[in-house]
Amino acid sequence: MNYIVIILSMVFVSNFVLARFLGLCPFIGVSRRTSDALGMGLAVTFVMTLASAVTWVIYTYFLRAGAANIFYRLGLIGRSQSLVPVLKVTSYILVIAVLVQLVEMFLHKVVPVLYRTLGIYLPLITTNCAIMGVALLSTTAWPGAQEPRFLEAVVQGFGAGIGFLLAMLLMSGIRERLALSRVPECFQDVPIAFICTGMMALSFMAFAGMIR
Amino acid sequence: MSIVISALVVMSLLGVTFGIGLALASRRLAVEVDPRIEQVTEALPGLNCGACGYAQCAAYAEALVKGEASVGLCSPGGEEVASLVGTILGLKVEVATPRVAVLRCHRQNCPERCDYDGLDDCRGAELLQAGFLACHYGCLGLGTCVEACQFEALLMGEDGLPRVIEENCVACGACVCVCPRNLFTLESVSDYIHLRCNSHDRGAVARKVCERSCIACRLCERECPVDAITMVNNLAVIDQEKCIRCGQCVRVCPNEVIVDFRLARGIAIERDQHEEETELAS
């Protein structure tokens, strides 16, 4: 039951693009066509899920203060000492970069068309704040006793990815129709897309407060 | 101090593990790339226009190196690119004569069936009850082709018909794909007698909906000395391979639907046709 709550909250209540405004670069850049948006959304979901999983392992066993910390077991640091503020960004970005590289290699071999279509946006997933956001959220953002378990962290990452995918599909549907409408020239393409994003974000506010 | 050591240990451990992991993965997921593909892609114009039949220049380069495609297919590149590619691949080059897009419509005073208030796009208009014009085969004039052309070879004229700017046209076929009524064809530059009508309506109907339509009167068919013209579904069809470009059909057509495209191109015409030139041009 808990997992369904997590997914619903990641997809609707705190949608990474529309409620948290993370990951706007690929959101605007790849959402011109629905087929591209679908491919990008799936790639991001994959990276987010794996990133959540790997960073949870690193967080629990290497960074967090507590009995599980390997360095505490080795006697190097005290029980309440934590490596989190020192290493969270560095190690997480390393993990994310490696995962994106893996996805790139996989796509180049298995689905070269998608690889070529996504072009520069594929390596840009590395610097995408949404992925880092998910990694940090699944691990470091929980106070005290509420530290998430492994499966909860993974589901959180997966849900965030699905939320991103949903937002991208909605946006690409709107943009495909906008391309044929009479938009004033100064607003065409990107500006009108941002205005639409704002309106979509407003409508997604309706979900706020659904889940505490 | 111990925190520093621990931090160093973590990062080194992660670095080594991931480094080995990636190296193994790159071996497993390696993609064999022929270096000539890169060279050919560089030689191609890089416009990704689709004239060769491949979505991107990179895809055409791959097909060329694999031997699946012939060398002369790049129309924007023309002879220059074809010979470059031929040098890289060690192939002989045959380049086709340049082609341009030809609009097969001369819509004049075609009445509107209804008020159209929908998407500003010919394809959208065509989806709604086959368009807002009385003629079901002619140009709707909303400019989808002009938008689709990435070489600025199409301009919307004042009469609501797109004009082809032949110097810029590279025969990529974007307008051919995009026009919902299939009004564009790609014709060789050396063919200049074309029928500018697409209407399969019977003569009586065609006459009502357009002042310059083909009414299938068969005068051109009778006058053609080499029998290059046939009637297919109330529309004259000129066989460009048989056509000797004498211009008889142009002179004889009552609605001036068969057009000598040299007039638009400004090429000099022989002297015994001089009177026709001034008559048709006015």
Side-chain angles (χ1 to χ4, degrees):
Chain A
M1 210 49 214
N2 204 11
Y3 297 118
I4 297 187
V5 169
I6 294 179
I7 291 190
L8 280 178
S9 109
M10 284 289 119
V11 174
F12 294 109
V13 180
S14 37
N15 186 300
F16 263 66
V17 179
L18 297 174
R20 297 179 197 259
F21 301 116
L22 297 174
L24 288 176
C25 174
F27 179 68
I28 296 290
V30 190
S31 61
R32 280 191 190 90
R33 275 191 309 215
T34 309
S35 49
D36 299 347
L38 185 65
M40 183 61 158
L42 289 174
V44 167
T45 305
F46 180 74
V47 175
M48 275 184 175
T49 315
L50 275 188
S52 288
V54 180
T55 53
W56 185 91
V57 171
I58 294 177
Y59 175 74
T60 311
Y61 295 114
F62 290 103
L63 302 183
R64 193 175 112 206
N69 193 317
I70 291 205
F71 297 110
Y72 168 70
R73 298 255 184 89
L74 288 174
L76 277 171
I77 59 175
R79 185 150 180 180
S80 54
Q81 276 185 304
S82 135
L83 284 165
V84 173
V86 175
L87 275 187
K88 66 179 175 190
V89 176
T90 327
S91 59
Y92 287 7
I93 200 73
L94 182 62
V95 170
I96 293 169
V98 167
L99 282 172
V100 171
Q101 186 69 3
L102 270 172
V103 170
E104 246 189 280
M105 281 195 265
F106 179 74
L107 282 185
H108 192 30
K109 175 111 184 171
V110 178
V111 199
V113 179
L114 186 62
Y115 176 78
R116 268 198 294 261
T117 315
L118 291 179
I120 196 67
Y121 285 102
L122 199 48
L124 275 181
I125 297 179
T126 312
T127 50
N128 189 352
C129 48
I131 315 282
M132 182 58 108
V134 148
L136 289 172
L137 181 72
S138 309
T139 53
T140 63
W142 298 89
Q146 285 184 42
E147 300 280 358
R149 295 193 301 260
F150 179 68
L151 215 49
E152 281 173 8
V154 173
V155 168
Q156 205 163 16
F158 179 72
I162 296 298
F164 183 84
L165 175 67
L166 175 72
M168 282 209 74
L169 286 176
L170 289 172
M171 193 50 162
S172 65
I174 294 175
R175 279 185 90 176
E176 280 189 357
R177 297 206 64 175
L178 275 179
L180 295 173
S181 309
R182 287 177 208 144
V183 179
E185 202 170 324
C186 57
F187 282 109
Q188 273 172 8
D189 202 16
V190 177
I192 197 80
F194 271 110
I195 294 175
C196 283
T197 310
M199 290 196 230
M200 279 167 69
L202 272 176
S203 59
F204 263 65
M205 273 178 78
F207 295 113
M210 232 169 75
I211 294 172
R212 293 293 162 80
Chain B
M1 188 58 201
S2 45
I3 291 229
V4 175
I5 297 177
S6 314
L8 280 172
V9 170
V10 172
M11 289 312 288
S12 322
L13 195 65
L14 285 179
V16 168
T17 320
F18 289 143
I20 295 178
L22 273 183
L24 287 173
S26 75
R27 202 83 56 82
R28 183 85 166 61
L29 295 171
V31 179
E32 291 269 334
V33 179
D34 191 325
R36 290 181 303 168
I37 296 182
E38 183 79 43
Q39 284 177 308
V40 175
T41 314
E42 289 275 328
L44 293 174
L47 295 162
N48 294 334
C49 67
C52 53
Y54 294 89
Q56 290 153 334
C57 295
Y60 181 45
E62 209 179 306
L64 276 172
V65 171
K66 282 193 201 156
E68 289 165 355
S70 76
V71 182
L73 293 177
C74 178
S75 347
E79 256 187 81
E80 211 183 298
V81 165
S83 55
L84 254 177
V85 172
T87 322
I88 298 175
L89 297 174
L91 293 171
K92 270 190 54 148
V93 173
E94 343 84 38
V95 185
T97 39
R99 297 189 299 169
V100 287
V102 168
L103 178 70
R104 297 195 174 271
C105 183
H106 225 149
R107 168 173 47 81
Q108 199 157 307
N109 292 333
C110 178
E112 284 190 7
R113 294 195 298 153
C114 58
D115 266 329
Y116 176 66
D117 188 23
L119 291 174
D120 210 6
D121 187 84
C122 300
R123 292 165 296 185
E126 179 70 8
L127 282 174
L128 274 178
Q129 309 254 348
F132 51 87
L133 290 177
C135 177
H136 289 274
Y137 303 94
C139 173
L140 289 163
L142 290 175
T144 305
C145 51
V146 179
E147 287 276 326
C149 181
Q150 49 170 300
F151 298 99
E152 293 179 22
L154 280 170
L155 267 187
M156 190 50 77
E158 273 139 26
D159 51 1
L161 287 172
R163 268 194 326 125
V164 179
I165 300 170
E166 295 189 355
E167 301 87 60
N168 295 347
C169 178
V170 296
C172 70
C175 52
V176 178
C177 286
V178 131
C179 179
R181 294 183 165 184
N182 299 315
L183 289 170
F184 282 100
T185 49
L186 298 176
E187 305 285 347
S188 168
V189 180
S190 53
D191 300 331
Y192 44 79
I193 308 283
H194 297 297
L195 179 80
R196 276 191 78 159
C197 183
N198 193 31
S199 168
H200 294 281
D201 285 328
R202 287 179 300 118
V205 178
R207 201 177 282 134
K208 261 188 280 191
V209 298
C210 179
E211 287 174 8
R212 279 184 91 159
S213 58
C214 176
I215 53 177
C217 61
R218 296 177 176 258
L219 274 170
C220 52
E221 193 181 15
R222 272 178 285 183
E223 291 293 326
C224 180
V226 292
D227 287 332
I229 306 186
T230 44
M231 289 295 152
V232 179
N233 270 338
N234 301 312
L235 188 68
V237 174
I238 303 175
D239 186 343
Q240 295 292 348
E241 273 165 46
K242 289 193 191 157
C243 175
I244 55 168
R245 331 219 195 290
C246 61
Q248 272 294 94
C249 49
V250 179
R251 276 185 284 263
V252 138
C253 179
N255 279 356
E256 296 173 4
V257 195
I258 304 189
V259 174
D260 184 339
F261 272 69
R262 288 179 305 174
L263 292 171
R265 294 171 195 163
I267 302 172
I269 304 183
E270 297 116 60
R271 276 212 285 161
D272 63 351
Q273 290 180 327
H274 181 69
E275 284 166 79
E276 285 303 307
E277 184 194 337
T278 34
E279 199 185 24
L280 281 170
S282 61

